[in-house]
Amino acid sequence: MKRILTIIGARPQIIKSAAISRAIRTAFPDQLKEDILHTGQHYDEKMSAVFFDELQIPQPDFNLNVGSGSHGAQTAKMLEGIEEVLLNGNYDGLLVYGDTNSTLAGAIAAVKLHIPVIHVEAGLRSFNKAMPEEVNRITCDHASSLLFSPTTTGVDNLLNEGFKTDNPAPYHADNPGVFHCGDVMYDNSRFFGELADEKVDAKWHSLKDEAFILATIHRPYNTDDTDRLLAIFDDLRWLCDDTQMKLVLPLHPRTKNILQAKRPEQFQAFADHPKVELIEPVSFLEMTFLEKHSRLIVTDSGGVQKEAYFFQKPSVVIRTETEWVELIAHGSARLSFETGEAMRQAFRAALETELNDFPPYFGDGKASEFICQTILDSLK
Ligand code: UD1
Ligand code: UDP
């Protein structure tokens, strides 16, 4: 039996962890034992607790309750707490997802204790180090022993940084194993996409019959400058007026807190628009339902832009670049950053895009099984 410590903390990691936990439960129950450590980076009920029962994620064995804070303070608290758990446990590896501060803290704590780091979602690059995520992912990849990349682009990025795909096992931090495995998020969307319509509350069902736009906004470069954030909201409001479609916007607490503190009146005016449904963050099954039935998705989220592709929806990604370059090359997603006429044109063009073929850039829905089997085969 191999024992791993899985680190979760931010919403997307909690969701991703459902896929691997499910694979362990169904295919490797006697070979792989997972303890879960929640750093507490996200803590609101709707950013964390809501996902556990719904996605059948085991309750965390440890919760550090670090809460919000500056990057340094938040990461430092996590690092200290994770180190303590690792010193008291006897783990064969530490598994981290993605690129958040929780990912970074897990990777640094483990590599310093010579515990192999397993990075799920390795190799992604935006080539923009102003994004905290880019710093986190590069640091984590270079501390890892097993690197699982969801896309061939991710593997190519790692090769360009000096990684090799033909290192012989056993793998360790100086001889890492790089694997192309598909995306655990695609595993989840396939699995839960089937269940969403049946499981979500009936109050959502009327949305099936109307064309609506789904949006999420939370990146610092879209939220921290409130003038910019309000300009994005203006463009979304224009889109509602122009198309007469409803806008459903589950608001990330970062975005809500900033607007409530700095521009409460404009925030209220936006919320009062008859076509705007500004709602609390929703559960994953609800989000999946909304994605499946939307007409267009507007987002700056890494995960939501991919889910748009999984459900074959056009999307506008409010960023200057993305690590998911396949989506842009495919044409179903388009980048748009400048507000005003440029963004409105991007919305129009996205609505007019003809979408046909959706190649399987993100695997076959079995990335999690591959990851578990490789961990078992590769860790000493
Ligand atoms: C973090 C990740 C980002 C990821 C996002 C997913 C980092 C550096 N960023 O960004 O990569 O895309 O999570 O959602 O790790 N807040 C609450 N309640 C919560 C959580 C946050 O009110 O449960 C508010 C607090 O005001 C907090 C702010 O949101 O200061 C930002 O939270 P934080 O976790 O620091 O960063 P995110 O923007 O959520
Ligand atoms: N998500 C959700 N409820 C919401 C908004 C998003 O369940 O109200 C899910 C979404 O389906 C995706 C993940 O959260 O699986 C994306 O997380 P987020 O946008 O917070 O972070 P990112 O992917 O940008 O790191």
Side-chain angles (χ1 to χ4, degrees), residues 88-367:
N88 290 325
N90 188 17
Y91 295 104
D92 299 300
L94 170 136
L95 188 148
V96 283
Y97 295 98
D99 52 22
T100 72
N101 289 346
S102 300
T103 316
L104 176 69
I108 294 178
V111 72
K112 295 275 181 95
L113 294 173
H114 307 162
I115 295 169
V117 176
I118 304 158
H119 188 200
V120 176
E121 223 176 71
L124 282 311
R125 299 289 182 264
S126 64
F127 301 101
N128 174 5
K129 289 206 186 84
M131 285 181 77
E133 293 83 359
E134 183 75 352
V135 178
N136 293 346
R137 356 177 141 96
I138 294 173
T139 310
C140 178
D141 279 342
H142 287 261
S144 293
S145 295
L146 295 181
L147 294 91
F148 291 103
S149 179
T151 57
T152 52
T153 309
V155 174
D156 290 343
N157 290 335
L158 291 171
L159 290 171
N160 287 337
E161 288 174 20
F163 284 89
K164 296 183 187 146
T165 47
D166 55 359
N167 281 347
Y171 304 110
H172 49 81
D174 289 313
N175 179 54
V178 171
F179 303 89
H180 173 222
C181 63
D183 197 320
V184 296
M185 287 191 61
Y186 183 53
D187 298 9
N188 266 342
S189 287
R190 276 190 40 168
F191 187 81
F192 293 108
E194 302 271 308
L195 304 175
D197 284 33
E198 171 199 330
K199 298 257 177 179
V200 298
D201 193 282
K203 72 176 182 193
W204 297 102
H205 286 188
S206 63
L207 278 171
K208 273 184 177 174
D209 305 323
E210 61 180 303
F212 69 94
I213 301 142
L214 175 66
T216 74
I217 306 282
H218 75 274
R219 295 269 162 225
Y221 46 68
N222 287 331
T223 56
D224 293 4
D225 171 352
T226 30
D227 287 333
R228 171 166 174 78
L229 178 55
L230 288 168
I232 295 171
F233 278 13
D234 263 349
D235 290 336
L236 287 169
R237 189 162 34 193
W238 169 86
L239 180 60
C240 293
D241 291 336
D242 191 59
T243 59
Q244 284 304 302
M245 280 194 257
K246 186 184 271 182
L247 171 75
V248 181
L249 205 171
L251 208 55
H252 192 288
R254 173 189 202 103
T255 317
K256 184 178 178 184
N257 294 347
I258 288 173
L259 283 170
Q260 271 181 341
K262 296 194 181 165
R263 302 290 182 88
E265 281 160 25
Q266 280 138 302
F267 182 42
Q268 194 56 50
F270 179 68
D272 288 343
H273 187 284
K275 289 277 177 201
V276 172
E277 267 206 46
L278 210 51
I279 56 176
E280 295 279 300
V282 292
S283 80
F284 183 69
L285 283 176
E286 289 166 338
M287 190 64 183
T288 301
F289 177 91
L290 291 171
E291 289 167 346
K292 274 178 76 176
H293 297 290
S294 62
R295 172 70 183 84
L296 169 70
I297 296 180
V298 180
T299 189
D300 59 7
S301 158
V304 176
Q305 61 183 282
K306 271 187 298 171
E307 287 164 350
Y309 184 85
F310 301 158
F311 295 113
Q312 308 199 345
K313 303 293 173 178
S315 65
V316 175
V317 177
I318 307 188
R319 290 176 52 170
T320 50
E321 80 295 299
T322 175
E323 53 285 3
W324 305 106
V325 290
E326 298 77 7
L327 307 177
I328 309 302
H330 175 257
S332 55
R334 62 192 67 229
L335 293 166
S336 179
F337 194 71
E338 200 187 317
T339 56
E341 190 44 37
M343 194 165 296
R344 294 171 189 199
Q345 282 215 19
F347 293 156
R348 274 194 212 106
L351 282 168
E352 283 161 15
T353 309
E354 294 248 344
L355 300 175
N356 296 312
D357 195 31
F358 283 77
Y361 298 131
F362 299 96
D364 58 2
K366 297 200 172 90

